[in-house]
């Protein structure tokens, strides 16, 4: 059985070294074949012929790519209130101002998050006017979002303290 397999492999190897013939037809078109044709000449094929192609790394350029690169470099800084600032407002009103560098690109919006929850609708303005915020410690973060809500850049968290005065009427002692 092994002998038959060996002989069949040898015969395939010998057949694979077929010759290549080249000829030109009456219209001047060049043809190649492994079967001899009239007026065909034998083409010598080198065993070490290798076709190699070197591929360079392709860079895909799209009209959005420069904007995405700029968005990745965008930095957002909360200017006011300052870190660990105490804000005194009985109505829970205060403004948050941010700086965006280099600048806010078209299609980008700023969203204000307080304690992880969005507190202002995404906007292009760098000043947020807030009201109705309860007293206590709060973490503020401003994020740049694209039209689909994907976060492109984010500020560092800023801790603030909101103080609301509380007037408690104490009962007056009655005489008598």
């Amino acid at each position: 059985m092994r002998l038959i397999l060996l002989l069949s492999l040898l015969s395939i190897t010998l057949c694979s070294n077929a010759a290549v013939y080249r000829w030109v037809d009456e219209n001047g078109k060049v043809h190649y074949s492994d079967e001899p044709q009239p007026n065909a000449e034998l083409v010598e094929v080198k065993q070490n012929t290798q076709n190699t192609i070197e591929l360079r790394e392709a860079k895909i350029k799209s009209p959005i790519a420069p904007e995405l690169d700029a968005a990745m470099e965008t930095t957002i800084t909360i200017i006011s209130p300052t870190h660990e600032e105490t804000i005194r407002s009985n109505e829970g009103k205060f403004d948050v101002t941010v700086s965006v560098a280099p600048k806010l690109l078209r299609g980008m919006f700023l969203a204000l998050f307080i304690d992880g929850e969005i507190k202002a609708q995404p906007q292009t303005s760098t000043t947020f006017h807030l009201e109705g915020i309860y007293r206590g410690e709060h973490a503020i973060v401003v994020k740049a979002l694209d039209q689909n809500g994907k976060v492109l850049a984010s500020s560092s968290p800023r801790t603030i303290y909101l103080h609301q005065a509380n007037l408690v009427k104490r009962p007056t002692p009655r005489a008598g």
Side-chain angles (χ1 to χ4, degrees):
M1 181 70 172
R2 288 184 185 178
L3 183 60
I4 295 172
L5 181 63
L6 181 63
L7 290 175
S8 62
L9 288 175
L10 284 174
S11 65
I12 291 172
T13 307
L14 292 175
C15 292
S16 67
N17 283 338
V20 176
Y21 298 94
R22 177 185 180 271
W23 76 96
V24 180
D25 66 10
E26 60 275 355
N27 295 327
K29 186 174 180 182
V30 178
H31 296 275
Y32 293 92
S33 175
D34 59 349
E35 296 178 6
Q37 302 290 326
N39 299 328
E41 60 184 38
L42 184 63
V43 177
E44 185 179 323
V45 180
K46 297 179 182 177
Q47 292 292 346
N48 292 340
T49 303
Q50 294 181 359
N51 293 329
T52 57
I53 300 173
E54 293 183 27
L55 297 177
R56 289 184 265 154
E57 187 174 324
K59 291 186 179 181
I60 299 172
K61 293 185 179 181
S62 69
I64 299 172
E67 291 183 7
L68 289 177
D69 289 341
M72 296 174 96
E73 296 172 6
T74 301
T75 57
I76 302 172
T77 306
I78 298 175
I79 297 172
S80 74
T82 60
H83 186 62
E84 296 187 347
E85 179 178 341
T86 299
I87 301 168
R88 299 180 194 294
S89 172
N90 289 338
E91 297 85 24
K93 291 183 179 181
F94 63 96
D95 292 341
V96 176
T97 306
V98 297
S99 168
V100 181
K103 69 176 185 174
L104 201 60
L105 298 173
R106 188 178 334 157
M108 287 176 61
F109 300 94
L110 296 174
L112 177 80
F113 291 81
I114 297 181
D115 300 326
E117 293 182 23
I118 192 164
K119 289 294 180 181
Q121 289 297 319
Q123 62 186 35
T124 56
S125 173
T126 56
T127 301
F128 294 90
H129 304 287
L130 301 171
E131 56 183 64
I133 306 299
Y134 293 109
R135 68 183 181 155
E137 178 181 332
H138 299 287
I140 300 174
V141 175
V142 177
K143 298 178 181 181
L145 309 174
D146 68 5
Q147 294 172 343
N148 299 323
K150 179 181 175 187
V151 177
L152 302 173
S154 180
S155 70
S156 298
R158 174 82 39 109
T159 302
I160 57 116
Y161 304 98
L162 185 60
H163 178 76
Q164 294 173 335
N166 189 4
L167 293 176
V168 177
K169 287 190 173 186
R170 296 186 181 159
T172 55
R174 292 185 189 190

